[in-house]
């Protein structure tokens, strides 16, 4: 068979391109919402962790300090467990144990990857917060802003700007990592290609096709991140 | 009113490492309205620590600080309210790099004193004109020289209409040719009757503008007096040695 008839057999016959197309939709959906969830969790964890780091010495003993210490410990356990176990295992635990009753596989995958990504985002974000000069914090406090206001108006906006490229990179990593959702029988881009392979008994065409699509997406997003970085550098500097 | 006590410091103490380092070891002083108190002393004598204790950026380990009659070292006091009335200027400016000059100046009055943007902008522009930087309102801090940054830092603090201004070596990070423009703004401020506490190595400024000079060494106020008393008739040997080095 020549290239053209192979292509037709794998992608055109029986509308097999739909496996690719629908799979791509699932991949992007899971990645996008997982990133949003990951940022939400990550920012929260990072704020708790850096608040604890900044205040644990100067804060007076009391209720607030005790709550902060407990929250900080919970965050540390979360970070350790999530970063110390494979994401596929986390995905399967989510599907077969925690959300065993759910039929919504996209939701399951989004939660699993969002919670996983949150741990990495948290560390990105925490380093972003800690990299802001202490003088910024003092300037805010000396004007009369309280801790939360100082974080909100002065520290977080700067930290966010600093870590935006790293966050965008996390999106790219996640895009590729979601390719294991086939483990819980969710039909994403990778699984779509694999299904075609099992129908046509041709591995080359669907697998390279899938690889090419991932590569194009990664290159596209990398290019986008690069532009973003340049824009950020040009503003204000 | 001039002459009323604005800040009273009693037995102020700041120890580190459980008392091994005594950054401040029993400071007593009173700062009256309209006074310009200049704090001098060798490196490590506790000048910055003293200044930063006044608005509780450093939490004292002992003693009391009364600001407008309220003991702000009391844990039940909401320090944020009092800090709004105590402007602070840092050695390294600490302007907010992600905001324009104008935004740097109006954010605190808008968020903390609930001023409208127009109202806050009006005062900010008036102050910018006073320091000759009104044309830089929409610039970002990174586009300014050191001297300009420090002048902005001063007017940013003034936008909160504080009762007292605290300066921690405001000219130490500047190129020599920019020191004058910042001192000029501070002189103007003193002339307008602002209460000021200034940590500085600029002895000329201390002599010319200071209503009182406080000489610190090893966490204590060794000598205190008018500029004439301190510079022309130093009593302690410590101060004489110090002056011999810096003058
Ligand atoms: N966080 C800290 N931990 C331990 N010691 C400290 C700390 N901060 C300050 N010190 C010590 O307290 C003393 C007073 O420091 P401070 O910064 O107030 O001096 P200074 O008079 O402002 O000196 P300089 O002219 O160099 O700015 C110094 O011996 C310093 O080493
Ligand atoms: Mg100092």
């Amino acid at each position: 068979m020549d290239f053209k008839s192979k292509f037709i057999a794998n992608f055109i016959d029986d509308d097999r391109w739909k496996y690719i197309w629908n799979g791509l939709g699932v991949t992007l959906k899971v990645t996008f919402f997982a990133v949003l969830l990951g940022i939400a969790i990550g920012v929260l964890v990072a704020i708790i962790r850096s608040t604890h780091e900044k205040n644990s010495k100067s804060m007076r003993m009391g209720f607030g300090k005790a709550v902060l210490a407990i929250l900080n410990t919970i965050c540390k356990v979360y970070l350790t467990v999530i970063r110390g176990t494979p994401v596929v295992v986390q995905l399967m635990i989510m599907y077969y144990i925690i959300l065993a009753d759910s039929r919504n596989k996209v939701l399951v995958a989004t939660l699993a990857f969002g919670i996983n990504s949150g741990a990495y985002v948290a560390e990105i974000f925490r380093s972003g917060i800690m990299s802001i000069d202490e003088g910024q914090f003092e300037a805010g406090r000396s004007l009369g802003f309280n801790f939360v206001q100082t974080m909100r108006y002065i520290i977080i906006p700067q930290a966010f700007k600093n870590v935006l490229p790293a966050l965008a990179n996390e999106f790219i990593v996640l895009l590729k990592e979601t390719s294991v959702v086939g483990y819980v029988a969710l039909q994403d881009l990778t699984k779509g290609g694999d299904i075609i392979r099992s129908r046509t008994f041709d591995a080359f065409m669907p697998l390279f096709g899938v690889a090419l699509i991932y590569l194009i997406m990664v290159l596209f997003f990398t290019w986008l991140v690069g532009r973003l970085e340049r824009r950020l550098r040009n503003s204000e500097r | 009113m001039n002459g009323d006590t604005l800040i009273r410091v009693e037995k102020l103490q700041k120890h580190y490492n459980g008392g091994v380092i005594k950054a401040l070891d029993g400071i007593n002083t009173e700062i009256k309205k309209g006074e310009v108190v200049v704090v001098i002393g060798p490196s490590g004598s506790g000048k910055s620590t003293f200044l930063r204790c006044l608005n509780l950026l450093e939490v004292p380990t002992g003693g009391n600080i009364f600001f407008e009659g309220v003991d702000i070292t009391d844990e039940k006091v909401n320090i944020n309210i009092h800090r709004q009335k105590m402007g602070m200027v840092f050695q390294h400016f600490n302007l907010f790099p992600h905001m324009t000059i104008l935004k740097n100046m109006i954010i605190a009055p808008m968020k903390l004193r609930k001023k409208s943007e127009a109202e806050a902008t009006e005062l900010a522009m008036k102050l910018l004109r006073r320091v000759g930087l009104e044309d830089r309102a929409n610039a970002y801090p990174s586009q300014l020289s050191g001297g300009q940054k420090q002048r902005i830092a001063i007017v940013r603090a003034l936008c909160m209409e504080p009762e007292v201004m605290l300066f921690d070596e405001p000219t130490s990070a500047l190129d020599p040719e920019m020191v004058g423009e910042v001192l000029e703004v501070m002189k103007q401020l003193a002339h307008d009757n602002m209460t000021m506490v200034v940590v500085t190595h600029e002895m000329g400024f201390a002599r010319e503008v200071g209503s009182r000079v406080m000489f610190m060494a090893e966490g204590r106020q060794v000598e205190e007096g008018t500029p004439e008393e301190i510079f022309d008739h130093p009593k302690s040997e410590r101060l004489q040695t110090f002056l011999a080095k810096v003058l």
Side-chain angles (χ1 to χ4, degrees), chain B residues 42-49 52 91 168-169 199 201:
Chain B
S43 181
S45 56
K47 305 181 297 296
S48 298
T49 308
R52 293 159 56 82
Q91 187 175 349
D168 191 0
E169 302 200 26
V199 174
H201 294 296

Side-chain angles (χ1 to χ4, degrees), chain B residues 159-173:
Chain B
C159 278
M160 287 298 283
E161 300 170 284
E163 294 295 324
V164 58
M165 288 283 285
L166 312 174
F167 294 83
D168 191 0
E169 302 200 26
T171 57
S172 295

Side-chain angles (χ1 to χ4, degrees), chain B residues 45-100:
Chain B
S45 56
K47 305 181 297 296
S48 298
T49 308
F50 170 66
L51 198 74
R52 293 159 56 82
C53 277
L54 292 182
N55 68 353
L56 250 60
L57 275 188
E58 301 286 353
V59 181
T61 47
N64 303 88
I65 300 165
F66 296 88
F67 176 61
E68 297 182 314
V70 179
D71 183 0
I72 56 172
T73 59
D74 186 340
E75 291 186 23
K76 292 193 259 325
V77 164
N78 180 0
I79 186 62
N80 301 313
I81 304 287
H82 298 283
R83 281 194 187 130
Q84 293 180 21
K85 297 187 235 164
M86 308 171 111
M88 188 167 216
V89 176
F90 302 85
Q91 187 175 349
H92 295 286
F93 329 127
N94 298 343
L95 296 180
F96 307 133
H98 59 304
M99 299 177 189
T100 62

Side-chain angles (χ1 to χ4, degrees), chain A residues 58 60-61 133-147 149 152-155 157-158 161 235-237, chain B residues 52 55-57 59 73-75 80 83-84 86 88 90 94-99 107-108 111-112 140 142 156-157 160:
Chain A
S58 68
R60 288 150 170 154
M61 283 308 287
D133 181 43
E134 188 63 20
Q136 291 291 310
F137 192 78
E138 292 184 346
R141 294 310 299 269
S142 77
L143 284 167
F145 287 118
N146 63 30
F147 181 86
Q149 291 168 323
R152 174 167 164 207
Y153 298 124
I154 296 157
I155 307 298
Q158 292 185 61
K161 245 177 147 171
S235 78
E236 86 172 55
R237 299 245 165 245
Chain B
R52 293 159 56 82
N55 68 353
L56 250 60
L57 275 188
V59 181
T73 59
D74 186 340
E75 291 186 23
N80 301 313
R83 281 194 187 130
Q84 293 180 21
M86 308 171 111
M88 188 167 216
F90 302 85
N94 298 343
L95 296 180
F96 307 133
H98 59 304
M99 299 177 189
I107 182 156
K111 302 291 179 194
L112 297 172
Y140 281 91
S142 59
R156 176 177 71 181
M160 287 298 283

Side-chain angles (χ1 to χ4, degrees), chain A residues 1-10 13 200-202:
Chain A
M1 275 205 294
D2 62 358
F3 186 85
K4 189 179 166 195
S5 48
K6 265 187 172 175
F7 186 89
I8 289 173
N10 278 292
D13 288 351
T200 61
F201 304 106
D202 174 16

